[in-house]
């Protein structure tokens, strides 16, 4: 490596010398190297392998910058972090705050994506929480929300002169006997409820079938709607909203129909409601936003029957079912034998010749194992049911099964796209908020070049209110996307897993993220950069 990298000087506005001066660097292969590197320039350190390029850039300049930064912390913080040794160098002057960007994959965490790494997804979550338009996942209609006064106005307009019940929903499609609920309602002075569509008076000791799903609504008021009773109607509406967790129902006696009203987002056709959105509702790393099936990963592991029975020409006796192996004189084989012989098959019947019904019983289990003549096992009550091969394998995946059991069972699983969210990682409520007709998963799946064009033009398609609310958020999204385009990553998508990126792509993403922070007077050290930078317009 040349002793002098670049001696060009840049005189800063304050009259000081605008350069980094390294004197007497002796780290690793360096032998009293003196170097001057100008500020506000792109300097490349070249040389043969082992000549000390990384020793100068990372082990000397970056190490000293990091040490000086940590020295600004309190004694308590330095004690927690540990002291960094000063690199073997006589002096370094003119050193700016230093950020090192190495060429390595960012993160192996399956939850890390380009969107989360660059923080663009965080701004998208904020955008959807502020101006996202909710639609019902059942009817597709736009969700609505009302104030107390608006609900009263709508009831008076729709039910003028009609007899109605004001109801507060307490239980929605849940099992239980609800004896304590009815007792508490009586203590509060309420006498009537609507249970599973039937109006009834609360009786002493009243309870429901605990094993069935029920709907329970509290009768708040019964009245005939007219303009003179506006105050009474308002009071009943406020009480119903308080008792029903910001929701109420209006039962039209004559038409035998129910309408729904809510202070939160609600589908007027079906009565389903959403909570007011917050940024965490659109995060696949949050329980409030993640798909309940895949827990925000976008994929699930399912048992692959082809791995359990790879060769259907074999019989069960010969080892067709890999987890069981060849025939042994034990309980499981006796149970399977009983199931087979009850329908005319044997353990030596080729697996491909078994009927679909008996195969299903073997895989998924059966509540009753047929009696096997001469077997003490099939006569025992304990072995009268068979859980199935799949249940046995799934049991081995549990945490308390042990590492070896989990490793063994893992060979029978196949990773596939989550069937509930189709790989979007989010729950169905989060996927039914839209900005410019697209949900957040659809935007994340666009190429960065397409997403950048969308961010540049979306404000023109928003109404005045949404445009004012979203102006700064969209601006920040657009700026960060432009940086990604500038470093040549316009072909990627925000939902791309970080673990799938190459070292060069990872490095460019980290660089774009740092540039997006808009820090000034920062020294960036890049490790063998594969970055195709070009001058922005």
């Amino acid at each position: 490596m040349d002793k002098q990298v670049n001696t060009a000087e840049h005189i800063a506005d304050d009259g000081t010398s605008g350069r980094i001066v390294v004197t007497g660097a002796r780290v690793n292969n360096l032998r009293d190297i003196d170097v001057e590197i100008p500020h506000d320039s792109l300097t490349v350190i070249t040389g043969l392998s082992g000549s000390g390029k990384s020793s100068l850039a990372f082990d000397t300049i970056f190490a000293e910058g990091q040490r000086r930064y940590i020295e600004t912390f309190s004694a308590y913080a330095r004690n927690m972090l540990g002291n960094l040794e000063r690199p073997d160098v006589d002096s370094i002057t003119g050193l700016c705050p230093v950020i090192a960007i190495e060429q390595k994959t960012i993160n192996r965490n399956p939850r890390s994506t380009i969107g989360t790494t660059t923080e663009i997804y965080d701004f998208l979550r904020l955008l959807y929480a502020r101006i996202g338009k909710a639609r019902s996942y059942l009817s597709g209609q736009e969700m609505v929300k009302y104030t107390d006064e608006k609900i009263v106005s709508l009831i008076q307009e729709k039910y003028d002169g009609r007899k109605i019940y004001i109801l507060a929903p307490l239980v929605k499609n849940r099992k239980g006997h609800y004896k304590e609920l009815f007792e508490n309602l009586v203590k509060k002075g309420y006498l009537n409820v609507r249970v599973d569509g039937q109006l009834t008076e609360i009786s002493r000791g009243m309870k429901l079938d605990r094993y069935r799903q029920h709907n329970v609504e509290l009768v708040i008021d019964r009245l005939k709607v007219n303009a003179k009773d506006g105050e009474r109607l308002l009071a009943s509406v406020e009480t119903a909203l308080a008792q029903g967790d910001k929701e109420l129902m209006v039962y039209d006696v004559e038409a035998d129909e129910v309408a729904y009203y809510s202070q939160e987002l609600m589908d007027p056709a079906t009565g389903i409601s959403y909570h007011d959105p917050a940024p965490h509702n659109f995060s696949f790393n949050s329980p409030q936003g993640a798909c309940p099936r895949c827990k925000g990963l976008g994929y699930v592991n399912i048992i692959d029957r082809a791995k359990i029975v790879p060769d259907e020409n074999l019989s069960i006796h010969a080892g067709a079912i890999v987890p069981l192996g060849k025939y042994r004189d034990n309980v499981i084989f006796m149970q399977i034998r009983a199931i087979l012989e009850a329908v005319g098959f044997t353990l030596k019947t080729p697996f491909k010749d078994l009927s679909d019904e008996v195969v299903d019983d073997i895989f998924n289990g059966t509540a009753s194992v047929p009696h096997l003549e001469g077997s003490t096992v099939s006569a025992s009550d304990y072995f009268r049911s068979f859980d199935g091969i799949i249940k046995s394998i799934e049991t081995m995946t549990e945490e308390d099964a042990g590492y070896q059991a989990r490793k063994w069972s893992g060979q029978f699983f196949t990773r596939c796209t989550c069937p509930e969210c189709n790989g979007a990682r989010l729950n169905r409520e989060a996927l039914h908020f839209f900005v410019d007709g697209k949900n957040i998963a659809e935007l994340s799946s666009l190429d960065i070049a397409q997403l950048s064009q969308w961010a540049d033009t979306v404000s023109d398609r928003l109404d005045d209110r949404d445009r004012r609310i979203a102006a700064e958020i969209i601006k920040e999204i657009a700026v960060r996307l432009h940086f990604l385009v500038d470093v040549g990553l316009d072909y990627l998508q925000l939902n791309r897993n970080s673990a799938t990126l190459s070292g060069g792509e990872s490095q460019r993403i980290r660089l774009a993220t740092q540039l997006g922070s808009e820090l000034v007077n920062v020294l960036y050290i890049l490790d063998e950069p594969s970055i195709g930078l070009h001058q922005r317009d």
Side-chain angles (χ1 to χ4, degrees):
M1 185 187 69
D2 295 336
K3 187 173 181 179
Q4 191 75 15
V5 175
N6 192 334
T7 59
E9 293 187 357
H10 170 73
I11 305 301
D13 293 338
D14 59 3
T16 60
S17 177
R19 57 186 175 176
I20 301 170
V21 179
V22 179
T23 304
R26 293 177 294 276
V27 176
N28 298 332
N29 294 341
L30 301 178
R31 297 291 181 267
D32 287 315
I33 295 294
D34 299 335
V35 174
E36 295 183 5
I37 302 175
H39 292 169
D40 303 326
S41 65
L42 179 64
T43 300
V44 180
I45 302 176
T46 63
L48 298 175
S49 177
S51 61
K53 303 184 295 299
S54 296
S55 296
L56 175 62
F58 291 98
D59 299 332
T60 303
I61 297 176
F62 173 69
E64 177 64 8
Q66 190 178 40
R67 186 187 69 83
R68 293 182 186 181
Y69 172 64
I70 291 179
E71 280 189 345
T72 65
F73 293 1
S74 66
Y76 175 77
R78 292 200 305 272
N79 184 55
M80 297 295 291
L81 292 172
N83 294 322
L84 295 179
E85 292 186 5
R86 186 178 185 276
D88 190 4
V89 61
D90 290 341
S91 67
I92 300 179
T93 60
L95 190 59
C96 307
V98 184
I99 295 176
I101 301 177
E102 296 179 280
Q103 189 179 112
K104 61 181 181 180
T105 301
I106 299 176
N107 200 328
R108 291 294 177 183
N109 190 328
R111 295 186 176 277
S112 177
T113 65
I114 292 176
T116 59
T117 301
T118 60
E119 299 180 355
I120 295 174
Y121 191 77
D122 297 333
F123 286 100
L124 284 177
R125 293 193 293 116
L126 182 60
L127 179 69
Y128 274 80
R130 295 294 176 264
I131 67 170
K133 306 301 181 186
R135 296 179 193 166
S136 168
Y137 54 74
L138 290 181
S139 68
Q141 295 185 19
E142 186 169 334
M143 308 288 275
V144 295
K145 60 187 302 185
Y146 303 117
T147 62
D148 299 5
E149 293 75 13
K150 181 63 175 179
I151 293 174
V152 170
S153 175
L154 291 172
I155 292 174
Q156 288 179 327
E157 179 181 341
K158 183 175 181 179
Y159 300 102
D160 185 31
R162 303 175 71 88
K163 185 179 179 180
I164 63 170
Y165 285 68
I166 304 295
L167 308 172
L170 303 179
V171 177
K172 294 182 178 179
N173 295 318
R174 294 205 313 267
K175 295 179 180 180
H177 56 70
Y178 300 108
K179 181 180 179 180
E180 294 81 6
L181 173 64
F182 296 131
E183 291 176 351
N184 289 333
L185 292 177
V186 171
K187 291 177 182 178
K188 293 178 181 180
Y190 295 106
L191 301 176
N192 298 283
V193 290
R194 184 172 179 264
V195 178
D196 299 332
Q198 298 296 320
L199 291 164
T200 183
E201 184 177 347
I202 302 175
S203 58
R204 181 181 296 274
M206 179 176 174
K207 61 181 181 179
L208 308 178
D209 184 348
R210 65 180 302 177
Y211 299 108
R212 292 182 53 196
Q213 290 186 330
H214 301 286
N215 292 289
V216 178
E217 296 97 29
L218 174 62
V219 177
I220 301 296
D221 198 1
R222 293 177 288 186
L223 72 159
K224 189 173 183 178
V225 179
N226 59 67
K228 296 180 181 180
D229 289 336
E231 292 185 6
R232 174 184 173 182
L233 180 58
L234 177 59
S236 297
V237 166
E238 291 175 344
T239 302
L241 291 171
Q243 294 292 330
D245 192 21
K246 300 183 180 181
E247 297 180 26
L248 67 81
M249 299 163 59
V250 176
Y251 173 60
D252 187 337
V253 177
E254 296 179 17
D256 191 26
E257 293 178 347
V258 173
Y260 302 88
Y261 300 90
S262 176
Q263 292 175 316
E264 294 186 331
L265 293 167
M266 170 173 276
D267 178 5
T270 63
I272 63 169
S273 61
Y274 299 166
H275 292 295
D276 288 337
H280 64 245
N281 292 118
F282 302 97
S283 171
F284 44 78
N285 293 324
S286 166
Q288 290 84 359
C291 169
R293 176 74 182 275
C294 65
K295 303 298 186 293
L297 293 174
Y299 62 82
V300 292
N301 292 321
I302 62 171
I303 289 182
D304 189 343
R305 293 194 177 192
K307 292 182 178 180
I308 296 176
V309 184
D311 186 358
E312 294 193 353
N313 292 314
L314 295 177
S315 66
I316 296 176
H317 189 281
I321 302 178
V322 173
L324 300 182
K326 294 184 178 181
Y327 176 78
R328 297 190 301 277
D329 189 15
N330 60 23
V331 172
I332 294 180
F333 276 103
M334 289 184 180
Q335 289 177 309
I336 294 176
R337 176 188 166 194
I339 294 171
L340 292 172
E341 292 187 359
V343 290
F345 299 108
T346 70
L347 289 173
K348 294 187 177 181
T349 302
F351 196 89
K352 64 181 181 180
D353 294 335
L354 300 179
S355 65
D356 292 340
E357 292 77 9
V358 77
V359 169
D360 185 69
D361 286 344
I362 293 172
F363 277 116
N364 299 313
T366 177
S368 177
V369 176
H371 176 68
L372 187 61
E373 196 67 36
S375 171
T376 57
V377 170
S378 59
S380 170
D381 290 339
Y382 185 79
F383 299 111
R384 289 296 291 165
S385 64
F386 178 59
D387 289 336
I389 303 300
I390 291 178
K391 181 67 176 295
S392 299
I393 295 174
E394 289 176 341
T395 302
M396 294 299 172
T397 65
E398 297 175 359
E399 194 67 27
D400 58 358
Y403 171 76
Q404 291 297 335
R406 293 197 301 273
K407 182 179 179 180
W408 172 84
S409 61
Q411 65 182 306
F412 303 111
F413 284 85
T414 296
R415 178 177 295 184
C416 66
T417 302
C418 175
E420 185 161 333
C421 67
N422 292 319
R425 299 184 173 214
L426 297 169
N427 59 40
R428 60 181 179 179
E429 184 174 312
L431 293 174
H432 282 79
F433 281 81
F434 297 86
V435 172
D436 191 31
K438 297 182 182 295
N439 63 35
I440 193 169
E442 290 172 332
L443 288 184
S444 298
S445 65
L446 294 176
D447 290 347
I448 287 174
Q450 297 174 310
L451 186 57
S452 180
Q453 294 176 358
W454 178 88
D456 290 337
T457 60
V458 66
S459 294
D460 299 335
R461 299 186 292 274
L462 300 178
D463 58 39
D464 291 339
R465 173 185 172 277
D466 288 348
R467 190 181 300 116
R468 289 195 300 271
I469 294 173
E472 292 301 319
I473 304 174
I474 293 175
K475 177 182 176 182
E476 190 66 33
I477 292 172
V479 168
R480 290 172 181 260
L481 288 170
H482 288 162
F483 280 123
L484 289 174
V485 172
D486 287 345
V487 297
L489 298 176
D490 54 325
Y491 59 91
L492 297 177
Q493 303 83 30
L494 293 186
N495 62 3
R496 172 83 172 265
N497 194 302
S498 298
T500 65
L501 299 173
S502 68
E505 289 171 334
S506 299
Q507 189 181 40
R508 281 181 279 171
I509 286 174
R510 294 177 65 197
L511 177 62
T513 302
Q514 294 297 333
L515 295 176
S517 65
E518 298 185 351
L519 295 172
V520 296
N521 296 327
V522 175
L523 172 63
Y524 295 99
I525 300 179
L526 310 182
D527 180 22
E528 300 181 5
S530 56
I531 301 174
L533 294 172
H534 61 271
Q535 184 68 34
R536 290 181 57 190
D537 295 334

